[in-house]
Amino acid sequence: MSTAQMDSTVVNVGVAGRVQPLTRAGIWVLAILAAANGLFLYFLPAQAETHYAWSIKPPVNAAFIGAGFLAGTLATGLVLAFATRWRTFSTLPIALWVLATSLFTATLIHNDRFKFDYPPTWVWTFVYAVVPFAVPYLVFRQRANADPEPQADPKLNVVRIASAILGAGILAGAIALFAAPVDLGKHWLWPLTPLLARAVAAWYALFGTMLISCAIGMRRPADAIIPYATLGCWSVLLLLLPVLHDADVSGGALWYALMAALVGLSAYALSIGLPDRRNL
């Protein structure tokens, strides 16, 4: 082997599996959009009735959507700040694809509810029309340069099994709510229009898909850090909604149990993943 070939081999080994610049640029865009939406919707939810892509009321609905965006802000922030390897967050893109595709479908179904004379509405529509195509493209580029898949660490077995069970249940419920927003939406903890029921379903579909993806794809303890920190953040923010919007929320014992289970799973997964954080 020539010196040039040896040098090339060393370079390829060094860069295999690393986060590519184009992927990182896309994550920056997502981080900015998630932060802008999350801060506005969660902390100023009453404003979403008149200053969002569609009229969102009561405010608890805006705060629910904002919680998802804030969790996404944490996820993208952790990736940008600490992740150097694609494997660290490779379980997340399919969940993002599910969210974007679901929200774009809901936008098409309920297009009469959107304010297309309002510029932010076109930003919303453009983002959710583009992301379902951009995500597979970036994933394809990363996988083409992926490093070898390691053996699954036995420490993750319990997390993977619990994630598969909870993820499958959440995803099934999300699909049902998206398909029958009127019949199922009337049993929710707070008032939902058909559009809002589908938006709620889209966020649950994201996290259900993420849990299934983690159950299948996690190999190293460090792989759990970003997804389960995101899940834990989202779950805690949602559990605060009945406190912050007590006048709009009633019932929901099973919902509280589910969200508490997700907090517990997140804490357990992080207890395994954080000691391995050097491998982010």
Side-chain angles (χ1 to χ4, degrees), residues 48 51-56 113-116 118 120-122 124:
H51 296 96
Y52 205 62
W54 81 95
S55 181
I56 303 178
R113 304 284 299 179
F114 283 78
K115 307 171 185 175
F116 285 105
Y118 184 53
T121 303
W122 287 102
W124 167 283

Side-chain angles (χ1 to χ4, degrees), residues 17-109:
R18 297 188 71 81
V19 183
Q20 297 175 359
L22 186 60
T23 301
R24 192 169 292 276
I27 295 168
W28 268 110
V29 173
L30 291 176
I32 293 168
L33 291 172
N37 280 275
L39 292 170
F40 175 71
L41 291 172
Y42 197 83
F43 294 105
L44 298 171
Q47 296 295 315
E49 182 175 353
T50 54
H51 296 96
Y52 205 62
W54 81 95
S55 181
I56 303 178
K57 58 182 179 180
V60 65
N61 280 303
F64 174 92
I65 298 171
F69 283 120
L70 287 178
T73 304
L74 175 64
T76 51
L78 288 173
V79 170
L80 292 170
F82 302 109
T84 59
R85 315 299 298 181
W86 161 248
R87 175 163 296 282
T88 303
F89 61 97
S90 63
T91 54
L92 299 182
I94 188 172
L96 175 60
W97 184 90
V98 167
L99 173 72
T101 302
S102 300
L103 289 178
F104 185 63
T105 302
T107 302
L108 294 178
I109 294 172

Side-chain angles (χ1 to χ4, degrees), residues 103-224:
L103 289 178
F104 185 63
T105 302
T107 302
L108 294 178
I109 294 172
H110 303 282
N111 65 86
D112 59 315
R113 304 284 299 179
F114 283 78
K115 307 171 185 175
F116 285 105
D117 58 345
Y118 184 53
T121 303
W122 287 102
V123 176
W124 167 283
T125 306
F126 176 79
V127 168
Y128 289 112
V130 170
V131 168
F133 297 97
V135 167
Y137 173 71
L138 294 175
V139 169
F140 174 80
R141 284 173 51 91
Q142 286 287 167
R143 287 184 175 175
N145 193 43
D147 48 4
E149 186 173 277
Q151 291 292 322
D153 193 314
K155 294 177 184 177
L156 293 169
N157 286 348
V158 173
V159 174
R160 295 176 67 188
I161 292 170
S163 296
I165 294 170
L166 285 171
I170 292 170
L171 185 58
I175 292 171
L177 181 58
F178 196 93
V182 176
D183 292 338
L184 296 181
K186 63 186 178 183
H187 300 295
W188 199 250
L189 288 73
W190 54 81
L192 293 175
T193 64
L195 170 55
L196 284 166
R198 287 189 162 113
V200 167
W203 282 103
Y204 274 99
L206 178 148
F207 283 98
T209 302
M210 187 192 79
L211 286 169
I212 295 172
S213 181
C214 286
I216 296 171
M218 283 194 306
R219 292 293 180 268
R220 309 166 308 159
D223 298 344

